[in-house]
Amino acid sequence: MNEDSLKSRAVPVLVPMPAERPYSYLVPEHMSVQPGSIVRVPLGPREVAGIVWDTAVDQVDPRKLRPISQVFDCPLIDAKTRRFVDWVASYTLSPPGMVARMLLRAPEAFDPQPWTEALKRTERLPDRMTAARERVLEMAADGLAWTRSGLAHAAGVSSTVVEGLKAQGVFETVMVPPRPVVAEPDPSYGRAELTGDQAAAAETLREQAEGGIFGVTLIDGVTGSGKTEVYFEAVAAAIKRGHQVLILLPEIALTQAFLDRFHDRFGTKPAEWHSDLPPRMREKVWRQVAEGTVRVVAGARSALFLPFNDLGLIVVDEEHDPAYKQEDRVFYNARDMAVVRAHIGGFPVVLASATPSVESRVNAEQGRYARAVLPGRFADAALPHLATIDMRRAPPARGGFLSPVLLAKMRETLERKEQSLLFLNRRGYAPLTLCRVCGHRFGCPVCSSWLVEHRFRGQLVCHHCGHTEKRPEACPECGTLDHLVACGPGVERIAEEVVAHFPDARTIVLSSDMLGGVKRLRLELEAISKGEADIVIGTQLVAKGHNFPNMTLVGVVDADLGLANGDPRAAERTFQLLSQVTGRAGRTGKKSLGLLQTFQPDHPVMRAIVSGDSEAFYDREITEREKAHLPPFGRLAGIIVSAATRPEAESHARGLRKAAPDSRDIHVLGPAEAPLALLNGRHRFRLLVQGEKRSDMQAYIKALLAAGPKIRGSVRVQVDIDPQSFL
DNA sequence: AGCACGCCGACT
DNA sequence: GTCGGCGTGCTC
C-alpha cells in the first residue's frame, strides 16, 4: 500500500464542538462514505455524530487517527447545506463545528424510523358477533392497516375488543412504514379571494417562486392587510413545483391561529419546529424533512438549520422581530441567514412585516430587494384613530400614572361594554425601590442593575440575571422601618391604579412571569377574546399576534420607554412595538382608539404613529443612520466577553480595548458601561466595533482577538456581527 | 461543548 | 481516611 492510498482513506469530519477545522478520521476497509454522510465517530472518551466534509484533510499525526465507527442510514447533508454551514461559520466568526451542531440537533433521527405493527382485516369472521365487534369490523372494512389503539378509538370500543378479534385471526398484523407527521399540503385547497393590491403582490411572488431563482421580496403592509394570504400564494407555487417550503416565525407567533390559517389554505397543518417540541416529534420532523416527506415547515429561527434537501422557498414573517437574533453560542440573525441559504440554494425569499426593519427597507430602496406594498386593511377592519396624550399638560393624579384623559376614555369604553388594553413593557410593581430616609437604592448584588419589586410575590427581582430576594421591611442601610418607597410603574402597579378607579371592572394582568406559565397564559388570552375581561394590562406579549375582537381602546402607559436607552435601534424598535400594540385595536370594524402617553409628543416616533405616516419615519431614520454610519450603512459588531466573575470579564474586555490599534475606519467602543447580562451564571461585557466594510471588520476583529489578552480559564469571547446586506 | 483528570474541604 | 467541588486541558 503506498502513501497515497493511505491518505485517501482519511476523511474530514465536522464534529459538533468548537474546533476551527474538521477532524480527520479513517474510513474502515468496507465502509463507504462521501461528503454529507452523517457518521458516528469517537471523540475523546465518547462518541458523537459528525458530518463528512469536503475540505482537504488536515496534516495530523497518523497515530492520532481513529476510525469512523458507523455510517448512519440517513439522507446526505447536501452540498448546498454544507456551503451554508461554512458561510454562516465564516460570517459569524464561529467555529464551523458549532454551526454543524445546530444541524445535528436530533440525535435519534439519524437512524431510520422503525416500521410499526398494524392490523389488517382477514377473510375470517369472529366466532360470535357483538355490537362492539360489529363496529370494529365496520371501521376496518376499508381494508387498510390500522393501529390497534387507533382502530379501537375510531370504533369507540376498548382495545381489548380489538385484541380479542386479533386472537381469533380476524385481524393479521402487518408492518407499516412510519406515518408522516403531517399530510401533504394541497396548493389549491382553499384559495383566498385576493383584492387588487393583494392579487398584484401575490402574482409577483408567484412568478418568483415559479421561476425558482434567487431573489428577495419585502412584503410590507399594515396589520390586517392580508400579508399572510399573499405569501401563501408563493408557498402554493413552490409546493406545486415540488419544492419544500420553510416559513419562519418569531417563536411567539407560532400559534394555533397561524396553524389554522395555514390549514384553511392548504387543507393540512404544516410541520412545526420550535424549542419546546416534544423530543419524539422533533426526531420525526427532522427525519422527514431530510427524507422529503415533510413539504412545509413552520418554525422558529432554528428551523433554518433543518436538513432540507429540496428547499424552494423561505418566508420570514415579522422579519423585523428581534427574536430572529440568536445571542448565544453562534450569534446569528435568522432573517439574514435565510437570505443566505436562499442565495446559495438559488431560490426566492419573502420577508414580510407591517413594520419592516430599517435594514430591509434600505435593501429594498437600493434595489437589492424587491418590494411589494399592501396599502390598506380589509374593508371591515378600519384603522384605529391614534393620538398622543401630552403628559406635561394632562398629568396623572399624584401617585398615579394614568392621565385623566386616558381614564375618561377607559370609562367610556367600559360603559359601551367594550374592552380596553393598557400596555406597559415592564413587569412587576416598580422598577426601583429606595429608602426615603437615607436614599439607599436596592441594586442587584450580582450584576448591579436595579431590583424590581414584585409586590404580589413579596420579592425584589433582578430582571437581568434572575436574582431574587425577599422585600425587607427596613432599610438595610439605615435600618429605618417602613420608609421604603416604590419608584415608577410596572404592570402590577398600573393594575392597582385601575382597580382603584374601576373597582367593578374585570381587570387582568398579562405578563411573562405570570403564575401558571404558557398554558395559563393561553387560557387567559382565550378568555379575553371571549370577552371575559374588561380591562387588560399587559407587557410586550400582548403586542403579538393575538386578536381581541372587542378591544376598542389601547392605551400605551409610557410610550417614551425604550427611547432613551442608548441602543442605536431604540427609535426603530419603539416605532415597531407601538405600531404593533396600537394595531391590536380596531380589527373589528368598530370605532377604535389608540392613545399614547408621552412627554415628547413631537418625537418623530410619536408623530409617525399618530399620523400613520411611516414613510416619513423611515426616511428620517435612514438619514440619521447614514450620518452616524450605523447599520445598514456601517457595520456594528459586538465582541462579547464572558467570564465567571465580573472583574475577570471586565479586565479581559479592557485588555482587548487596549489592544485595538488606531484605525481610521474602524473604532472600538466600550466596554459598555451598562452592566451587561449575567447569563447562565456568566458575566458578559460587550465591546462595540464600528466600521464600514464587512470583510475589513471581520479581519479587524480576528486581528484584535489575536493581539488581545490570551483567553484562558473561564473567559470566553464571542462575536456578534450586525446584519447588513448579503448580496 | 463535553468530559476526564487533578487537587483541596466536609463527611458516610 | 474517602466523596465531590470546579479549574485546566484535550479531543482527529
Side-chain angles (χ1 to χ4, degrees):
Chain A
M1 207 183 281
N2 63 31
E3 209 180 280
D4 252 27
S5 70
L6 270 175
K7 253 189 212 160
S8 71
R9 297 195 51 240
V11 292
V13 176
L14 210 47
V15 285
M17 56 151 231
E20 281 308 319
R21 343 200 45 238
Y23 281 177
S24 305
Y25 284 89
L26 293 170
V27 184
E29 198 58 50
H30 299 293
M31 186 184 280
S32 100
V33 297
Q34 53 182 308
S37 299
I38 300 182
V39 292
R40 192 207 304 278
V41 291
L43 184 67
R46 68 213 152 106
E47 291 211 309
V48 296
I51 309 170
V52 177
W53 220 241
D54 20 28
T55 42
V57 290
D58 258 353
Q59 295 293 335
V60 61
D61 182 353
R63 282 169 302 179
K64 279 174 123 183
L65 290 178
R66 297 164 78 183
I68 292 173
S69 33
Q70 182 196 348
V71 188
F72 287 101
D73 180 3
C74 183
L76 300 178
I77 300 298
D78 71 5
K80 287 173 174 175
T81 308
R82 298 198 304 274
R83 278 185 56 205
F84 177 58
V85 169
D86 282 333
W87 201 97
V88 172
S90 137
Y91 179 78
T92 61
L93 299 177
S94 340
M98 291 306 283
V99 182
R101 187 175 173 270
M102 301 197 288
L103 231 113
L104 301 173
R105 271 323 208 16
E108 305 300 315
F110 310 144
D111 287 316
Q113 293 173 263
W115 287 42
T116 50
E117 264 184 28
L119 298 176
K120 206 175 157 188
R121 194 58 235 278
T122 59
E123 297 297 312
R124 194 177 301 213
L125 288 167
D127 53 358
R128 265 182 320 115
M129 192 58 91
T130 65
R133 287 179 171 185
E134 202 156 331
R135 282 204 298 278
V136 171
L137 292 181
E138 207 173 295
M139 287 313 298
D142 56 12
L144 299 175
W146 289 74
T147 63
R148 194 192 331 152
S149 61
L151 182 55
H153 193 258
V157 302
S158 100
S159 59
T160 53
V161 178
V162 179
E163 197 53 48
L165 289 169
K166 183 188 152 198
Q168 288 182 24
V170 179
F171 286 100
E172 59 177 350
T173 56
V174 289
M175 297 308 283
V176 292
R179 222 154 49 104
V181 287
V182 285
E184 187 123 340
D186 173 2
S188 53
Y189 179 83
R191 297 191 66 158
E193 285 292 321
L194 298 181
T195 62
D197 294 320
Q198 294 170 347
E203 191 50 40
T204 314
L205 294 183
R206 199 181 299 130
E207 274 167 25
Q208 204 173 38
E210 278 166 4
I213 48 162
F214 173 72
V216 187
T217 307
L218 173 65
I219 313 185
D220 165 358
V222 293
T223 345
S225 62
K227 284 188 299 294
T228 313
E229 286 70 20
V230 170
Y231 73 61
F232 276 171
E233 293 313 302
V235 173
I239 296 172
K240 263 191 212 155
R241 294 190 78 231
H243 289 304
Q244 289 173 297
V245 174
L246 169 62
I247 302 173
L248 288 177
L249 298 157
E251 185 107 15
I252 196 136
L254 200 59
T255 55
Q256 194 56 46
F258 175 83
L259 301 177
D260 290 345
R261 284 171 89 177
F262 187 92
H263 190 285
D264 290 345
R265 177 62 185 81
F266 296 103
T268 179
K269 286 197 317 176
E272 290 174 63
W273 185 265
H274 49 81
S275 61
D276 44 37
L277 207 62
R280 301 303 319 239
M281 193 48 142
R282 227 181 154 68
E283 290 154 27
K284 283 187 193 166
V285 173
W286 194 97
R287 181 81 195 185
Q288 294 184 14
V289 166
E291 286 172 347
T293 321
V294 161
R295 306 311 294 167
V296 181
V297 176
R301 59 170 186 251
S302 59
L304 190 57
F305 292 91
L306 281 167
F308 295 98
N309 275 326
D310 187 22
L311 197 53
L313 174 72
I314 305 178
V315 176
V316 186
D317 201 355
E318 307 292 347
E319 65 88 26
H320 66 280
D321 200 296
Y324 282 121
K325 205 169 165 198
Q326 173 153 77
E327 298 200 61
D328 62 304
R329 301 185 174 97
V330 178
F331 287 62
Y332 69 94
N333 186 316
R335 178 237 295 153
D336 301 310
M337 295 309 110
V339 173
V340 172
R341 190 157 190 181
H343 192 217
I344 291 171
F347 58 81
V349 198
V350 175
L351 308 180
S353 173
T355 51
S357 60
V358 171
E359 283 84 355
S360 294
R361 278 292 303 266
V362 169
N363 280 324
E365 268 172 31
Q366 298 182 347
R368 282 185 292 263
Y369 295 179
R371 186 173 173 205
V373 183
L374 301 174
R377 277 194 175 186
F378 289 146
D380 65 334
L383 286 164
H385 176 72
L386 299 170
T388 51
I389 298 174
D390 186 340
M391 295 302 271
R392 296 165 303 188
R393 298 172 63 179
R398 207 179 154 70
F401 300 90
L402 302 175
S403 160
V405 180
L406 180 54
L407 288 167
K409 291 296 177 188
M410 289 171 71
R411 185 169 302 282
E412 287 171 23
T413 307
L414 207 52
E415 280 161 4
R416 286 199 308 270
K417 305 235 180 307
E418 292 169 357
Q419 292 172 303
S420 303
L421 171 68
L422 294 185
F423 170 76
L424 177 64
N425 203 7
R426 232 191 225 147
R427 289 146 53 208
Y429 185 84
L432 170 67
T433 306
L434 56 79
C435 171
R436 211 179 331 202
V437 178
C438 71
H440 171 75
R441 297 163 164 214
F442 285 78
C444 174
V446 257
C447 67
S448 80
S449 51
W450 302 131
L451 292 176
V452 179
E453 178 181 357
H454 284 240
R455 189 159 286 190
F456 187 67
R457 280 152 47 188
Q459 284 178 323
L460 298 176
V461 180
C462 174
H463 285 182
H464 237 120
C465 70
H467 165 87
T468 63
E469 53 190 66
K470 201 175 164 295
R471 184 184 182 276
E473 303 287 316
C475 173
E477 197 71 28
C478 66
T480 318
L481 270 170
D482 296 329
H483 277 265
L484 300 180
V485 37
C487 298
V491 277
E492 286 182 14
R493 194 168 191 178
I494 297 300
E496 190 180 82
E497 190 175 345
V498 166
V499 170
H501 280 98
F502 309 106
D504 299 327
R506 296 164 301 171
T507 299
I508 181 170
V509 176
L510 290 183
S511 84
S512 56
D513 56 350
M514 191 164 80
L515 272 85
V518 186
K519 224 173 175 180
R520 160 98 188 279
L521 197 65
R522 215 164 280 161
L523 288 173
E524 297 287 3
L525 289 166
E526 186 88 359
I528 295 165
S529 300
K530 287 197 201 129
E532 289 168 22
D534 301 309
I535 300 169
V536 180
I537 299 145
T539 56
Q540 181 126 10
L541 57 94
V542 298
K544 310 260 180 174
H546 261 276
N547 285 339
F548 307 116
N550 201 33
M551 191 78 73
T552 57
L553 175 67
V554 170
V556 177
V557 176
D558 185 356
D560 305 332
L561 187 68
L563 275 178
N565 65 2
D567 179 344
R569 267 184 264 263
E572 178 188 352
R573 291 269 151 82
T574 304
F575 171 74
Q576 288 160 344
L577 189 58
L578 294 184
S579 298
Q580 277 192 350
V581 174
T582 53
R584 292 302 107 204
R587 316 193 90 200
T588 51
K590 286 184 190 146
K591 228 177 98 188
S592 62
L593 180 63
L595 291 172
L596 313 173
Q597 296 198 143
T598 176
F599 285 91
Q600 330 169 46
D602 293 326
H603 192 286
V605 168
M606 305 308 154
R607 294 177 116 160
I609 297 283
V610 168
S611 67
D613 188 358
S614 58
E615 295 298 312
F617 172 74
Y618 279 103
D619 289 346
R620 186 182 170 283
E621 186 65 19
I622 289 168
T623 315
E624 298 281 307
R625 294 271 183 95
E626 197 163 6
K627 266 194 271 176
H629 297 279
L630 284 168
F633 298 100
R635 297 263 165 204
L636 204 58
I639 300 182
I640 292 111
V641 176
S642 68
T645 68
R646 193 188 154 103
E648 219 179 341
E650 205 164 352
S651 106
H652 194 94
R654 289 197 194 291
L656 271 172
R657 175 73 188 82
K658 261 173 79 182
D662 264 340
S663 160
R664 222 158 29 110
D665 299 325
I666 299 173
H667 313 276
V668 182
L669 321 164
E673 292 307 321
L676 216 71
L678 187 94
L679 224 71
N680 306 325
R682 300 179 67 83
H683 296 260
R684 313 203 310 177
F685 266 91
R686 185 184 291 252
L687 293 120
L688 284 181
V689 183
Q690 203 182 352
E692 291 291 331
K693 279 172 62 190
R694 183 179 90 212
S695 47
D696 293 350
M697 293 275 288
Q698 285 172 322
Y700 181 84
I701 290 167
K702 278 186 189 168
L704 190 58
L705 295 180
K710 226 204 185 108
I711 299 168
R712 75 178 116 97
S714 68
V715 177
R716 263 210 301 270
V717 175
Q718 276 155 319
V719 181
D720 172 19
I721 297 207
D722 219 72
Q724 196 177 15
S725 159
F726 302 90
L727 307 178

